[in-house]
Amino acid sequence: MPYTMRGGHVPIRIWTDPAEVEPGALDQLRNVANLPWVHGVAVMPDVHYGKGATVGSVIAMRDAVAPAAVGVDIGCGMTAVRSSLTVDDLPDDLSRLRARIEKAVPVGRGAHKTAVDPSAVPGLKERGWYEFWRGYDELAPIARSRRGRATSQLGTLGSGNHFLEVCADDAGAVWVVLHSGSRNIGKELADHHIEAAMRLPHNQDLPDRDLAVFLSGTRKMEEYRRDLFWAQDYARRNRAVMMALTQNVITRHFAGKRVRWDDVISCHHNYVAEETYDGVELLVTRKGAIRAGEGDLGIIPGSMATGTYIVRGLGNEKAFNSASHGAGRRMSRTRARKSFTVDDLIEQTQGVECRKDSGVIDEIPGAYKDIESVIEAQTDLVEVVAHLRQLVCVKG
Ligand code: 5GP
Ligand code: MN
Ligand code: MN
C-alpha cells in the first residue's frame, strides 16, 4: 500500500517509505506535483534521483507533457522470451555462447553496420517496415542528416546500463532478456524538443527548467508527439531485431535440438501513453516505470547477477496502472566506482558468465537496491509470473 506525501497541489502516492528516499528526489517529486497541469503522481519502490525527473515515477498530466521528464532514451525498455530449452541442455562453460551472442548483436558504438536487414528476419517481416521508415521523412528536420545512422543502429544494444542476458527460471526453462532503447536517433530527437520546450514563454517561471512542457493543441506539442511516438516505435523494433538475432544464435548453437519460443514480452519503461482514468484523458509519462494494467506482462530486472522478475499487472489505478522498472540505483555511478573494486565485482557476479573488468564497476549489483524488497513493496501492483537468474550477461 502506498504512502501519501503532501507538498504539491495533488497528493504524491509513493510505494516505499519516503524517509528512505534521497531529499533531491523528493524535491523533484514536489516540483512535479505543483505543476498546474499535473493530475497525479505515483512513485514506484525503485525511485531515485534522475535527470529531468525522478526515475521510478509516473507523471499523469492533463493536456501537457514535459519532454525532459520523458528523458533522452525515448522508449527505453525490456524484452524477454522463454524457450523450450532447459538448463540441462546448456554446457557448463557458457563462454562460447556469450561470444556468439556478442558477435551477433552489435553494441553499436559509432556507426555499426547491423548484421541483418530486419525486414528479412522471419517474424519481423510483416511488421510494417515500409510505413515505419516512411514515418522517418516526417520527423523534425534535424533527423534528415541522421538517417544512415538510425538505420545502422537499429538492432544494436548501446552501452552502459543496457544488457542482454540468458537466464533460467525456477523451473529450469531458459529465457533471453534484453534492455535497450531508441539509440542515438531517440536522443537527438529528445534533445531537440527539450530545448524547444525550454524556450517557450509559458515555461519561464518553473521551479526547474527540466519541467518545461508542451501544451495540447499547439504545433510544438504535435511535433513532439509525432517524434516521440516514432522513437518509441523505433525502440520497440530495435529490441525486436536484437531478440530475433539472439534467438537465431541460440537456435544454431543448439543445432541438435528443436528450439521453440513462447510469445515475446516487450515493455517500455521510459515513455508516454495516452490513457483515460475516471473519464479524464491523460498523458501518462512513465519515467523508469512500466505499465501494469490488469493482465499486462512486464519485466522487472534486478542487476547483473541478482535476477529478474516477469510480472503480471493487477491494474491498480492509484498507480496509474504502473509498476517499478527495476531494482533502481542505490548509488550514483560515481559513488559506485569509488565504493567498489574489481574484486568486489568478481565476488558479486559469481556464477554469471559476464564482464568482470573495471569498465562495468558502476553496474555492480551492490550499486542497485535489493530487488526482492522492491518486488515485495508492490504486491498491490503486480503478481510474479516467473523469477529468472542470470547465466550469461552481455553488457554494452
Ligand atoms: P535503467 O533503465 O534505469 O538504466 O535500468 C533499469 C534497471 O535495470 C535498473 O534499475 C536495475 O535494477 C536493472 N539492471 C541494471 N543492470 C542490469 C543488468 O545487467 N541485468 C539485469 N537483469 N538488470 C539490470
Ligand atoms: Mn536506456
Ligand atoms: Mn532503461
Side-chain angles (χ1 to χ4, degrees):
M1 288 310 279
Y3 294 72
T4 303
M5 231 173 74
R6 308 279 160 195
H9 79 82
V10 294
I12 303 165
R13 293 218 168 83
I14 174 162
W15 270 258
T16 185
D17 185 348
E20 311 266 300
V21 180
E22 316 135 87
L26 295 177
D27 289 342
Q28 282 187 317
L29 294 169
R30 282 192 209 97
N31 285 340
V32 167
N34 266 316
L35 292 177
W37 310 277
V38 73
H39 180 84
V41 182
V43 188
M44 302 296 113
D46 58 344
V47 56
H48 60 88
Y49 182 86
K51 168 106 190 69
T54 332
V55 174
S57 66
V58 184
I59 306 168
M61 289 206 270
R62 227 177 316 198
D63 299 322
V65 66
V70 181
V72 290
D73 194 0
I74 296 172
C76 189
M78 304 278 308
T79 294
V81 69
R82 183 170 70 174
S83 77
S84 59
L85 292 169
T86 71
V87 279
D88 297 333
D89 297 317
L90 301 177
D92 289 339
D93 181 4
L94 291 167
S95 58
R96 249 170 30 107
L97 179 59
R98 174 181 161 207
R100 285 196 172 171
I101 294 173
E102 283 175 339
K103 205 168 151 216
V105 182
V107 175
R109 281 191 207 91
H112 259 276
K113 191 105 199 79
T114 322
V116 285
D117 166 9
S119 57
V121 177
L124 293 179
K125 233 185 295 197
E126 296 81 20
R127 293 213 189 159
W129 290 97
Y130 178 76
E131 290 74 22
F132 171 67
W133 284 115
R134 208 171 49 188
Y136 195 94
D137 301 330
E138 313 284 315
L139 298 177
I142 57 122
R144 262 173 225 155
S145 60
R146 295 174 166 88
R147 186 164 178 152
R149 193 165 181 197
T151 311
S152 65
Q153 282 196 334
L154 189 82
T156 65
L157 194 59
S159 57
N161 52 346
H162 298 136
F163 61 82
L164 194 164
E165 293 175 343
V166 180
C167 303
D169 67 21
D170 294 341
V174 171
W175 291 64
V176 178
V177 176
L178 65 89
H179 172 212
S180 186
S182 54
R183 311 293 288 106
N184 191 254
I185 185 64
K187 182 183 183 316
E188 298 282 357
L189 291 168
D191 283 342
H192 164 74
H193 289 288
I194 290 167
E195 268 176 43
M198 285 175 180
R199 285 196 300 269
L200 293 173
H202 67 254
N203 288 322
Q204 299 314 309
D205 298 322
L206 296 169
D208 181 346
R209 273 165 57 79
D210 283 333
L211 297 178
V213 296
F214 291 123
L215 298 175
S216 295
T218 64
R219 214 183 77 213
K220 288 274 180 248
M221 174 68 110
E222 284 322 303
E223 289 169 357
Y224 179 58
R225 283 161 58 108
R226 173 198 65 206
D227 294 0
L228 172 77
F229 291 139
W230 185 89
Q232 289 180 184
D233 193 11
Y234 180 97
R236 193 179 290 278
R237 288 167 185 271
N238 178 38
R239 293 196 299 270
V241 171
M242 283 186 280
M243 185 53 93
L245 291 173
T246 311
Q247 288 174 307
N248 288 344
V249 169
I250 289 180
T251 304
R252 280 202 307 271
H253 195 76
F254 297 96
K257 288 233 151 223
R258 214 180 94 73
V259 186
R260 278 167 288 107
W261 300 92
D262 287 357
D263 289 341
V264 174
I265 305 165
S266 187
C267 60
H268 292 321
H269 56 224
N270 263 17
Y271 76 113
V272 179
E274 294 163 319
E275 297 174 9
T276 302
Y277 294 90
D278 295 327
V280 187
E281 280 177 36
L282 298 171
L283 287 156
V284 178
T285 299
R286 295 194 175 87
K287 159 90 171 187
I290 59 171
R291 190 177 148 87
E294 199 177 345
D296 290 338
L297 290 175
I299 304 156
I300 306 183
S303 74
M304 284 176 87
T306 52
T308 290
Y309 283 86
I310 306 295
V311 296
R312 189 181 296 113
L314 298 175
N316 188 326
E317 298 211 345
K318 285 206 180 88
F320 298 99
N321 287 336
S322 307
S324 91
H325 86 311
R329 278 198 167 271
R330 190 199 296 279
M331 62 182 76
S332 68
R333 292 178 180 283
T334 318
R335 212 181 109 205
R337 273 186 229 109
K338 283 191 192 132
S339 312
F340 295 103
T341 62
V342 170
D343 284 343
D344 295 327
L345 180 66
I346 292 169
E347 196 196 310
Q348 293 185 27
T349 57
Q350 263 178 50
V352 182
E353 174 59 47
C354 65
R355 279 179 66 182
K356 297 178 196 246
D357 57 89
S358 62
V360 290
I361 284 196
D362 49 358
E363 288 292 324
I364 190 169
Y368 287 97
K369 297 185 201 189
D370 173 39
I371 183 68
E372 312 302 330
S373 328
V374 168
I375 293 292
E376 259 162 46
Q378 51 188 328
T379 50
D380 54 340
L381 307 182
V382 289
E383 61 186 8
V384 172
V385 174
H387 166 252
L388 317 182
R389 64 183 170 88
Q390 287 94 343
L391 305 168
V392 177
C393 172
V394 172
K395 280 280 196 185

